[in-house]
Amino acid sequence: MQKAKAFETLRRCVSQRGSSLSHHRAFSAQPNYAQYDDVEDLVTVEGRAKSRAAILNRPSALNALNNAMAARLKRLYESWEDNPDIGFVLMKGSGRAFCSGADAVSLYQLVNEGNVEECKNFFETLYKFVYIQGTYLKPHVAILDGITMGAGAGIALPGMFRVVTDKTVFVNPETQMGFHPDAGASFYLSRLPGYLGEYLALTGDKLNGVEMIACRLATHYTLNARLAVVEERLGKLATDEPSVIETSLAQYGDLVYLNKRSILSKLEVVDRCFSHDTIEEIIDALEKEAADSYDEWCTTALKKLKEASPLSLIVSLRSIREGRFQSLDQCLAREYRISLNAISRLVSSDFFEGVRARLVDKDFAPKWDPPSFKEVSKDMVDCYFSPLSEFEPELELPTASREPFMQ
């Protein structure tokens, strides 16, 4: 029975992939801006002496990214890169968040309305912007003050300077939503110390600003109360020299001390548990660790894993592992395949079920399909990583014309 189900899944994956993602071609391939009040208000711009600041401006939605925002960011950064009067670029968020990631509810609604094309366009535009950010020719400063979640981290972490504060909260919650860490997450998470990246991707645990400095996700730390002074200093700079910007950021930096209860003080245990090849083995290792140590951390990690989508956990683990040996553009191309498969529902509707349970109905009781690890076949997982059909182009990035900063 299991083999028959797996075969049927693979058959549908191959035969329907093209039609499922491309049968809505009547819709424009461009973002539908009509649904937004004013595109320019979603990402505002501040002009400075010899720099520009892009401000994510959807505070009521924690600056969650929609199609219009991703497209505007891409246009702005391309024009600023070509402008010789601009020395460097800064990005920040308005309100209590830097960026809470992709607007998952908007994507959920788009697909339910039959507009798969615009949903696909969002991922294409977003990932292309992440690549621009990772290969940007000018210095970039991202001020990650407040919530920095999922794709919100993806649009900032590839840049040159990442400033965090005592208000910063970094998290990749995708497996709890039936999705996968994307927007370059398989690149930067896979390069964290030991198997910390796997732990963060699978459990959705949070890091604060000090922890981001300690594991080198961030480059500078300052107190939230001093941000106005830091920004004022940066705004007066007339330079395109990274060393000058670095000096200014360091001048207003604060000393950081890692809390003894931080996950970074448990890296030996993290490596022992999350270095295994399968999710089942990781869970077994955590259960053994919990029995031997009575550590509450193990119990919490186990709870998170058991709440997440089994299929998403397996797909995410493989994605992070492959990311260890790939460049940023290769990671984005793979993540694009996974994301398009997730919204196609060819194998599973877990993404939509996760969004429904956590963000729409908020019953926090998702019904995952498949419901257990033993029912996730290799063919199901392979479907997420296999090339797209001839009717659906792969993600095309200008790798030949750009020298990646993050190689």
Side-chain angles (χ1 to χ4, degrees), residues 35-50:
Q35 62 182 301
Y36 308 117
D37 293 334
D38 191 329
V39 175
E40 293 187 0
D41 287 343
L42 298 175
V43 181
T44 58
V45 174
E46 288 183 359
R48 300 166 181 201
K50 197 176 180 181

Side-chain angles (χ1 to χ4, degrees), residues 100-249:
S100 61
D103 188 341
V105 174
S106 175
L107 297 175
Y108 171 90
Q109 292 170 341
L110 282 172
V111 175
N112 283 341
E113 292 165 2
N115 198 345
V116 179
E117 192 65 29
E118 190 167 337
C119 193
K120 183 202 76 171
N121 181 267
F122 168 75
F123 289 112
E124 180 181 4
T125 306
L126 174 64
Y127 295 178
K128 285 183 175 180
F129 175 69
V130 172
Y131 183 70
I132 288 172
Q133 180 71 282
T135 60
Y136 212 55
L137 300 179
K138 295 181 177 180
H140 186 268
V141 180
I143 299 180
L144 310 179
D145 185 44
I147 297 167
T148 304
M149 186 181 296
I155 63 172
L157 294 184
M160 188 175 292
F161 301 111
R162 290 91 62 195
V163 181
V164 291
T165 74
D166 50 317
K167 302 289 186 182
T168 301
V169 179
F170 167 85
V171 60
N172 281 98
E174 290 89 350
T175 60
Q176 302 288 316
M177 299 278 204
F179 202 57
H180 67 110
D182 69 324
S186 66
F187 180 83
Y188 62 77
L189 289 179
S190 65
R191 282 154 176 78
L192 294 182
Y195 293 88
L196 178 63
E198 281 88 338
Y199 167 75
L200 295 173
L202 300 177
T203 66
D205 197 8
K206 302 179 181 75
L207 295 181
N208 60 33
V210 174
E211 290 169 325
M212 290 183 71
I213 288 286
C215 68
R216 299 186 179 181
L217 281 173
T219 59
H220 296 80
Y221 181 95
T222 189
L223 295 175
N224 167 272
R226 300 181 66 177
L227 272 182
V229 179
V230 174
E231 288 188 51
E232 182 181 5
R233 171 63 177 155
L234 290 173
K236 293 178 179 178
L237 293 180
T239 185
D240 58 3
E241 284 294 329
S243 60
V244 176
I245 300 168
E246 157 71 31
T247 299
S248 294
L249 290 172

